[in-house]
Amino acid sequence: SSSGYYWKLTKHLCDIKEIYKVPADSSGLSAPLAFGAVTKGIEISNYYQRDQYQADDKIWHYLEQWGAQTKYNGVAASYLKGDLSIDASEHLDLVPNLCFLAALTEGVTTFKNLEGLRHKESDRLEEIQKILTLFAVDFALDQNELRIKGSPSHNRERLIYHAPQDHRMVMLAALFMRFCSGGEIHNAQAVAKSYPE
């Protein structure tokens, strides 16, 4: 589970004897990275290195598996393709942004071990399904295994999403709306947990 990553991170920090430079937050970074990969690319000015101790740092691995052109501090606009099987248990918070990427990747992405999503700020597995349905994404859920058949092009009308009090669901809906034709998110202020400004 992601708790194992936090334990390793804590132990690593306790063992450090010199000045420590705090790395960028991979969870917060994953949404802009996902969007940049399928649009115009993105460069993060205060990102200096990947951090093996953050579970959500795995975003880089998945982008590279899909064929994205990554560099140490960003990603170029890329045509993503390939079939992936993702064990979500180690980075549940990353799943919403990975679902966005999977929806725009040519291929089938299978997410496994998703049961923990039901016990976050909302039932995220249910909310992800609502958002995928709203944007006409081809997906199937079989118990705790989600399969998304992606397509690199989506043209959708402006839509409305009623978000729960869950920052990650607001971010997921915003990614789709920004990529497609815009829309309206009710309760969008819930995003303040990740992005207070």
Side-chain angles (χ1 to χ4, degrees):
S1 75
S2 60
S3 299
Y5 276 85
Y6 291 121
W7 164 248
K8 289 176 187 173
L9 171 61
T10 304
K11 187 175 183 311
H12 170 68
L13 291 174
C14 290
D15 291 340
I16 290 175
K17 305 298 184 207
E18 67 275 357
I19 293 173
Y20 179 69
K21 192 171 194 175
V22 177
D25 172 41
S26 298
S27 296
L29 184 60
S30 64
L33 268 179
F35 191 73
V38 295
T39 55
K40 297 179 179 179
I42 187 170
E43 185 173 303
I44 304 98
S45 60
N46 65 338
Y47 191 82
Y48 308 105
Q49 64 183 33
R50 300 184 188 182
D51 185 3
Q52 63 176 323
Y53 296 102
Q54 293 186 54
D56 290 353
D57 207 62
K58 196 89 181 227
I59 182 78
W60 297 100
H61 169 76
Y62 296 124
L63 285 168
E64 288 161 1
Q65 290 292 300
W66 276 318
Q69 301 170 46
T70 64
K71 46 189 177 178
Y72 82 94
N73 68 337
V75 62
S78 305
Y79 181 83
L80 305 180
K81 62 180 179 178
D83 299 330
L84 276 187
S85 179
I86 295 173
D87 180 348
S89 63
E90 291 189 340
H91 41 67
L92 286 170
D93 288 343
L94 194 55
V95 170
N97 294 331
L98 289 175
C99 285
F100 169 73
L101 284 168
L104 298 170
T105 297
E106 184 183 337
V108 176
T109 304
T110 304
F111 295 89
K112 299 177 180 179
N113 299 318
L114 297 170
E115 53 273 12
L117 285 174
R118 295 197 180 276
H119 309 289
K120 293 289 191 173
E121 289 87 335
S122 68
D123 181 340
R124 287 187 182 160
L125 193 50
E126 181 179 323
E127 290 301 319
I128 287 170
Q129 290 177 83
K130 286 181 187 177
I131 294 170
L132 294 176
T133 300
L134 195 62
F135 289 94
V137 175
D138 187 354
F139 76 94
L141 180 69
D142 181 12
Q143 295 187 348
N144 287 307
E145 184 171 298
L146 175 67
R147 287 180 305 283
I148 297 176
K149 184 177 181 184
S151 170
S153 61
H154 288 264
N155 288 316
R156 304 282 178 248
E157 60 189 70
R158 290 177 60 85
L159 297 166
I160 297 173
Y161 172 61
H162 296 270
Q165 192 63 30
D166 190 336
H167 54 141
R168 302 215 185 270
M169 294 303 94
V170 173
M171 285 188 280
L172 177 58
L175 284 171
F176 273 110
M177 288 182 183
R178 188 165 175 114
F179 185 83
C180 299
S181 303
E184 185 177 336
I185 301 174
H186 292 194
N187 197 30
Q189 68 274 14
V191 81
K193 183 170 181 179
S194 283
Y195 302 115
E197 296 180 10

